[in-house]
Amino acid sequence: MNKKIGGIFILGLLLLAWGAAGARAELPELIPRSVFFGNPQNTAPQISPDGLRLAYLAPSEQGVLNVWVKTLGKDDAVQVTNDTHRGIQAYGWSYDNQRLAYLQDNDGDENNHLYLVDLQTKVVRDMTPFQGIRAENFIFNKKFPDQALVGLNLRNRRIFDMYRLNLVTGALELDTENPGTIVGWYADAGFTIRAAAMMNPQDGSTVIRVRDAKDTAWRDLAIFPFGENGNFLMFSLDGLSGYLISSIGADTTRLIQVDLADGKEIKTISSNPRCDLGGVVIHPDRREIQAVAYNYLKPEFTVLDPSIKADFEFLEKAHPGVMDIDSRDAADKKWIISYVVEDGPISFYLYDRGTKALDFIFDHRPDLKKYTLAKMEPVVIKARDGFDLVSYLTLPVGLKPEKLPLVLFVHGGPWGRDVWGYDGFVQFLANRGYAVLQVNFRGSAGFGKKFLNAGNMEWGVGKMQHDLTDAVKWAVKKGIADPAKVAIGGASYGGYATLAGLTFTPELYCCGVDIVGPSNIKTLFQSIPPYWAPMKKMLVLRVGDAENDEEFNKKISPLFHVDSIRAPLLIGQGKNDPRVNIRESDQIVEAMRAKNLFVKYIVYTDEGHGFARPENNLDFAGHVDEFLAKYLGGRFEPYQPVKGSSGEEH
């Protein structure tokens, strides 16, 4: 290349990268993507049952998240696992204080194996070494420190039996056989499985079944017809009563205690007319409810046990943000506390209940403190038919909230919800100069059964998408959003909503970002994992019978409306996704290209439903950075290939 031409080319790139920044000079410093999407420095601390050691997740020398352990009060941290590729996301202590358990799948296939780390021998063992088998529903018990209960679809890929695992020898013994419809198991204080949640494949109802002992017959305790919310929580200490979550007789879920002999309600422990039960604090030995959490706009605790009231009052005043108990030792003397704010890292502390000492452990991403982050404000938006849509608006720091480029960021599920608190992707977007709007559209969980059921059969051209449209129009009417610069994006159902937005309301959006979103609901249903079979009827009742009603499927599936797309699209897809098969992205990419519509398509060959590896998150964020800057006009950090990423442009 001619040096002069090369110099002009490089200068042009720099002007492209910084031209938008010059126009947005009032914005704070541009934050590198690595701050948001690289590994956390430390995270997920858990105290050992004896209260002497702390385990946590931190990167290895190779930059892969692993479990580390240190003695409290000492600087003797040591890495005790050796994952070299995907990183460990979830782990826990066994009650003997000598072992840690964690789950790991193979490149996102979700066939998690249960691994056990012996802290004395430093040996890591795969306790469920069966190809194509998934481990779930594992349970530990303080009285049986050398055992665990674990669910495995070993006998039948569609259903999970419960096995008793000897943590010392590794021996697995079938404990409770699944008749074919059980989706959850529960053990009593004596470590006997005595309750199960069943999904009825005929009517989509949930049935809670119980038994008095291991060798006695099962009986129905509670039935939650389709449309009701309910599940079993735990047994009382004496095993004679149980705690259930139930919406029967109310719109939002109540926490109730029932007699296991006849299923009659003993008492209502807690309820909230605005939202469903959001969390429960349980005494580890007494098996009593100590506090409950509700999350309408922000999480709020209600303390029920006087013995912890002073602790909560102290902790809620001691640090900004929303506090939670992440773990506690067996004696209940030491707690690990987390504090969540929206504009900074999650902070973790060790709390001594006796001395009321609150000692800092670490921030999960301390580099965030070097930068100015945006506030996330709860807002309630009225839908066209009067429904209240609890939403969150994040505005870029330093800019007037007037005619800003807007990203409508749609949550997955769809039976999940958006929550207040730190969100790296939202902060990344706000730092680039975009307003970010997150909407709990009807069908989102947590706001009562009326709101949840209002989303039934309302995908695509229906009211779930109308809620997103109404939220965008609200932001435009308020003067916050520039109607010519609105993007839509999201993952899973959020990816579907992105495709639906570009096809069914193309006039609203100037571009879209779809991460692992389905494009054809019929083929989505045909490719779901085999162990989702007991839940299939519920899915059909929620979404519609897209497999057998071709006209309905074409009505709600964006694939059949590609002709309507006007805006460019960026797609990220995990090759091994077991929930939204790669075919979902392949299909719409092929259809768009056949119409000469612009779509950029990145496939990550070692990922599944979403991206777990920071190298892949960083890589895709780089594509998003440049893509949105091109169509929304924000500033950006130029894309650079990320070493170790498996991303391939197709």
Side-chain angles (χ1 to χ4, degrees):
M1 177 184 290
N2 180 285
K3 288 184 179 180
K4 184 177 180 180
I5 295 175
I8 293 172
F9 177 74
I10 293 169
L11 178 61
L13 284 179
L14 290 172
L15 290 173
L16 178 64
W18 292 104
R24 303 282 188 182
E26 61 271 34
L27 284 165
E29 180 181 357
L30 188 76
I31 303 175
R33 290 188 294 269
S34 58
V35 174
F36 298 118
F37 301 107
N39 273 318
Q41 183 170 310
N42 301 286
T43 194
Q46 292 192 34
I47 195 167
S48 60
D50 60 14
L52 299 178
R53 289 186 285 185
L54 185 76
Y56 57 95
L57 296 177
S60 64
E61 288 186 3
Q62 291 73 38
V64 180
L65 275 185
N66 274 275
V67 183
W68 294 65
V69 174
K70 62 166 289 184
T71 307
L72 287 173
K74 294 185 179 180
D75 188 17
D76 60 356
V78 61
Q79 180 183 325
V80 299
T81 62
N82 190 34
D83 191 285
T84 58
H85 182 65
R86 192 157 178 79
I88 295 170
Q89 309 296 319
Y91 76 97
W93 283 95
S94 67
Y95 278 100
D96 62 6
N97 299 290
Q98 296 302 317
R99 296 175 177 86
L100 288 159
Y102 69 91
L103 295 173
Q104 186 60 282
D105 71 356
N106 181 38
D107 286 345
D109 65 3
E110 297 189 13
N111 288 326
N112 287 314
H113 286 211
L114 178 62
Y115 290 84
L116 204 65
V117 184
D118 189 309
L119 299 180
Q120 289 183 324
T121 64
K122 304 296 189 294
V123 173
V124 179
R125 289 186 294 169
D126 182 353
M127 310 305 288
T128 57
F130 311 108
Q131 187 174 359
I133 299 301
R134 174 183 169 93
E136 64 175 34
N137 205 173
F138 66 99
I139 310 168
F140 292 111
N141 187 290
K142 185 178 178 179
K143 296 178 181 178
F144 300 85
D146 60 347
Q147 297 180 28
L149 288 166
V150 59
L152 296 171
N153 55 344
L154 185 59
R155 182 175 58 88
N156 184 327
R157 296 295 189 273
R158 295 163 61 93
I159 58 178
F160 291 83
D161 302 314
M162 287 299 280
Y163 290 79
R164 194 167 293 267
L165 171 66
N166 187 305
L167 302 181
V168 179
T169 66
L172 271 172
E173 178 185 357
L174 180 64
D175 184 275
T176 307
E177 189 170 300
N178 192 332
T181 54
I182 303 299
V183 295
W185 301 97
Y186 308 87
D188 64 10
F191 216 30
T192 299
I193 292 174
R194 287 184 48 216
M198 181 188 82
M199 292 291 294
N200 188 319
Q202 275 72 51
D203 61 12
S205 63
T206 299
V207 182
I208 304 302
R209 313 201 73 199
V210 295
R211 58 184 178 180
D212 295 323
K214 182 174 175 58
D215 297 322
T216 59
W218 292 92
R219 63 180 182 276
D220 292 352
L221 176 73
I223 298 175
F224 299 101
F226 173 77
E228 296 284 353
N229 295 328
N231 214 331
F232 191 83
L233 181 64
M234 69 170 183
F235 289 93
S236 62
L237 184 61
D238 62 13
L240 299 178
S241 65
Y243 297 93
L244 275 70
I245 299 167
S246 172
S247 68
I248 293 177
D251 181 44
T252 57
T253 53
R254 299 176 298 135
L255 178 58
I256 62 175
Q257 186 177 13
V258 300
D259 189 320
L260 296 183
D262 55 17
K264 291 183 178 178
E265 183 176 329
I266 297 171
K267 62 180 177 180
T268 295
I269 296 169
S270 183
S271 65
N272 186 314
R274 292 204 305 172
C275 58
D276 294 329
L277 184 72
V280 180
V281 178
I282 301 168
H283 191 279
D285 292 330
R286 299 199 308 264
R287 285 180 169 249
E288 294 176 350
I289 309 298
Q290 295 188 287
V292 292
Y294 292 95
N295 187 358
Y296 184 66
L297 300 179
K298 292 183 180 181
E300 297 178 348
F301 275 104
T302 300
V303 177
L304 305 177
D305 181 356
S307 72
I308 65 168
K309 186 175 182 180
D311 297 300
F312 269 68
E313 289 176 349
F314 170 78
L315 290 168
E316 288 178 337
K317 294 176 182 176
H319 193 281
V322 175
M323 62 81 60
D324 200 0
I325 304 172
D326 287 17
S327 75
R328 53 213 290 191
D329 66 2
D332 202 27
K333 293 181 179 179
K334 297 176 182 177
W335 295 354
I336 302 297
I337 303 296
S338 62
Y339 289 96
V340 175
V341 296
E342 82 270 45
D343 56 351
I346 303 170
S347 300
F348 297 94
Y349 286 79
L350 174 67
Y351 173 59
D352 188 308
R353 296 187 66 204
T355 64
K356 293 290 190 291
L358 188 64
D359 295 323
F360 178 72
I361 301 174
F362 48 62
D363 292 323
H364 88 303
R365 294 183 184 272
D367 284 351
L368 290 172
K369 290 186 172 181
K370 301 175 184 177
Y371 303 98
T372 301
L373 301 185
K375 294 290 186 180
M376 178 185 283
E377 295 297 330
V379 293
V380 179
I381 299 170
K382 282 284 185 185
R384 65 187 70 178
D385 58 359
F387 267 107
D388 286 338
L389 309 176
V390 172
S391 307
Y392 299 94
L393 178 65
T394 304
L395 296 173
V397 176
L399 299 182
K400 290 182 179 180
E402 299 173 1
K403 287 201 170 183
L404 295 168
L406 174 75
V407 178
L408 179 69
F409 189 40
V410 188
H411 72 69
W415 309 290
R417 63 159 293 177
D418 282 312
V419 296
W420 178 91
Y422 174 76
D423 185 312
F425 200 83
V426 170
Q427 292 293 338
F428 158 67
L429 295 173
N431 178 258
R432 270 51 184 166
Y434 311 126
V436 185
L437 183 59
Q438 299 167 271
V439 181
N440 285 307
F441 46 86
R442 72 194 67 203
S444 300
F447 302 98
K449 65 189 180 189
K450 180 182 178 182
F451 191 79
L452 178 68
N453 292 325
N456 295 345
M457 308 285 287
E458 296 290 349
W459 284 40
V461 293
K463 295 176 182 177
M464 292 170 73
Q465 200 73 23
H466 292 173
D467 288 346
L468 300 176
T469 299
D470 292 350
V472 170
K473 291 182 177 180
W474 170 87
V476 171
K477 186 176 180 180
K478 287 282 186 180
I480 297 167
D482 181 344
K485 292 186 177 181
V486 178
I488 183 171
S492 194
Y493 178 85
Y496 166 83
T498 298
L499 300 178
L502 297 189
T503 52
F504 301 130
T505 51
E507 71 282 358
L508 279 185
Y509 305 108
C510 68
C511 63
V513 178
D514 157 29
I515 305 169
V516 296
S519 63
N520 182 345
I521 306 306
K522 179 179 180 177
T523 53
L524 171 73
F525 278 9
Q526 289 173 341
S527 63
I528 61 175
Y531 47 82
W532 281 25
M535 298 179 285
K536 185 67 175 291
K537 183 63 175 181
M538 182 272 289
L539 290 173
V540 170
L541 292 172
R542 290 278 186 217
V543 181
D545 193 4
E547 274 188 279
N548 298 304
D549 187 335
E550 191 68 30
E551 183 178 351
F552 175 75
N553 180 59
K554 288 183 177 180
K555 178 182 176 182
I556 67 170
S557 295
L559 178 65
F560 301 100
H561 304 271
V562 167
D563 284 349
S564 299
I565 295 178
R566 305 176 190 171
L569 176 64
L570 171 64
I571 296 180
Q573 175 70 46
K575 183 179 180 181
N576 307 313
D577 191 339
R579 303 187 191 198
V580 177
N581 189 278
I582 190 173
R583 182 183 175 193
E584 294 302 311
S585 292
D586 288 347
Q587 289 177 100
I588 199 152
V589 168
E590 182 180 353
M592 287 183 67
R593 287 178 175 164
K595 301 290 184 181
N596 293 316
L597 299 169
F598 179 81
V599 56
K600 186 172 185 178
Y601 182 30
I602 315 295
V603 174
Y604 294 89
T605 60
D606 56 0
E607 295 285 9
H609 195 60
F611 312 141
R613 298 183 60 237
E615 294 90 344
N616 293 330
N617 276 310
L618 272 167
D619 184 81
F620 191 69
H623 291 294
V624 172
D625 215 355
E626 288 200 340
F627 180 82
L628 292 181
K630 183 175 181 180
Y631 297 105
L632 292 183
R635 61 182 184 170
F636 68 102
E637 177 187 358
Y639 172 80
Q640 294 289 337
V642 177
K643 183 180 180 181
S645 171
S646 67
E648 297 177 351
E649 188 164 352
H650 283 219

